Amino acid sequence: MPSTKKILHFLSSALVTSISVGVLGFGMSTQWAKTTLECTRDGGGIINGTAIITLKLFDGNLNRSFCPSFGSIDDFQVFPTLRGTGGTPVALHILVLCLLALCLLFSAGSILITLYNSVSNPYETYMGPIGVYTCSSLSACLSVVVLIVFVVNVNVTNMAEDLVKNFSEAIPVELKNQSSEMLLGYYLIIPYTVLSLAAIALIYTYDHAAYAHRREQQRPTEDAPKEIMMY
């Protein structure tokens, strides 16, 4: 049976990781980005209207004002719509979804390992602290990659323009002065990353203290006179 200290540290790590999963799950269900574009028609220099795209991971909203028609609000599914336009944006969006799924998978693995360690004393293998370090560090690293890939997809690629032109009713429009802001869902990835690192810190604190305790127990034998040890 594990010591009380070990139980507390591993259960605390499991709780922190569970909270991080809840934060990530909520973040995946809410808005991630808002992009505004200005519209002109027929290649003219006069700005006729605006298009505002609000994105979640799986669905979005396009609010057009004179871009090109009088006004329209359209709801759409992100993946099918991007798949229709093709190119880099859909590939990056798929990558974001895959990375988030891996984050949830590794977090689940971390929770299972910490719960297992709280009721047993496994060897120092992938089912011990090493497993927690691996799963939680991968979750943290992949979540950082998600932050980078998503913001690149929104700000660097032509995803926003493709989405607007997909709903432009076959009327040619010129889009310019794009501006984007990240919303709550995107920023919730940051506390998820921090909590994943906190789960590692809790296990490391226990592991380091346990290692120091083992070294302290071995020291009297190491420091004993050679004659006594031979005897």
Side-chain angles (χ1 to χ4, degrees), residues 65-131:
S65 177
F66 296 99
C67 187
S69 58
F70 177 75
S72 177
I73 299 177
D74 300 288
D75 296 319
F76 59 91
Q77 298 296 312
V78 175
F79 178 70
T81 305
L82 287 179
R83 187 174 57 184
T85 61
T88 303
V90 65
L92 292 181
H93 193 74
I94 292 173
L95 178 60
V96 167
L97 294 178
C98 291
L99 292 175
L100 288 172
L102 288 174
C103 286
L104 292 174
L105 178 63
F106 287 124
S107 291
S110 180
I111 293 171
L112 291 175
I113 293 172
T114 49
L115 291 176
Y116 175 60
N117 278 264
S118 67
V119 296
S120 64
N121 282 308
Y123 294 105
E124 295 292 321
T125 64
Y126 62 91
M127 289 304 293
I130 295 174

Side-chain angles (χ1 to χ4, degrees), residues 14-231:
L15 177 61
V16 168
T17 306
S18 299
I19 294 172
S20 74
V21 170
V23 169
L24 181 59
F26 177 73
M28 292 175 66
S29 68
T30 191
Q31 297 174 347
W32 275 56
K34 180 179 179 182
T35 301
T36 302
L37 301 101
E38 295 177 344
C39 302
T40 62
R41 288 181 57 183
D42 302 325
I46 301 176
I47 296 173
N48 295 347
T50 58
I52 300 175
I53 304 170
T54 304
L55 280 179
K56 295 182 179 180
L57 287 178
F58 302 101
D59 56 77
N61 175 273
L62 173 59
N63 189 343
R64 292 178 292 148
S65 177
F66 296 99
C67 187
S69 58
F70 177 75
S72 177
I73 299 177
D74 300 288
D75 296 319
F76 59 91
Q77 298 296 312
V78 175
F79 178 70
T81 305
L82 287 179
R83 187 174 57 184
T85 61
T88 303
V90 65
L92 292 181
H93 193 74
I94 292 173
L95 178 60
V96 167
L97 294 178
C98 291
L99 292 175
L100 288 172
L102 288 174
C103 286
L104 292 174
L105 178 63
F106 287 124
S107 291
S110 180
I111 293 171
L112 291 175
I113 293 172
T114 49
L115 291 176
Y116 175 60
N117 278 264
S118 67
V119 296
S120 64
N121 282 308
Y123 294 105
E124 295 292 321
T125 64
Y126 62 91
M127 289 304 293
I130 295 174
V132 180
Y133 298 152
T134 301
C135 290
S136 294
S137 60
L138 284 172
S139 297
C141 292
L142 292 177
S143 63
V144 172
V145 177
V146 167
L147 292 173
I148 297 171
V149 173
F150 186 82
V151 78
V152 167
N153 201 18
V154 170
N155 290 289
V156 178
T157 69
N158 59 346
M159 179 177 67
E161 294 184 11
D162 289 343
L163 288 173
V164 175
K165 290 178 180 179
N166 189 66
F167 290 92
S168 64
E169 303 167 1
I171 301 174
V173 293
E174 182 180 343
L175 303 167
K176 58 183 180 180
N177 298 333
Q178 175 178 324
S179 61
S180 300
E181 60 175 313
M182 301 298 108
L183 301 179
L184 179 62
Y186 176 84
Y187 288 114
L188 283 178
I189 300 297
I190 298 174
Y192 170 80
T193 305
V194 173
L195 289 170
S196 297
L197 295 176
I200 296 175
L202 284 167
I203 303 304
Y204 177 79
T205 302
Y206 165 78
D207 198 28
H208 181 71
Y211 175 77
H213 180 67
R214 290 194 298 268
R215 293 288 297 174
E216 193 67 31
Q217 288 182 324
Q218 294 172 359
R219 187 168 298 170
T221 303
E222 293 174 354
D223 296 341
K226 187 176 297 185
E227 294 82 2
I228 296 176
M229 293 180 67
M230 292 176 63
Y231 177 78

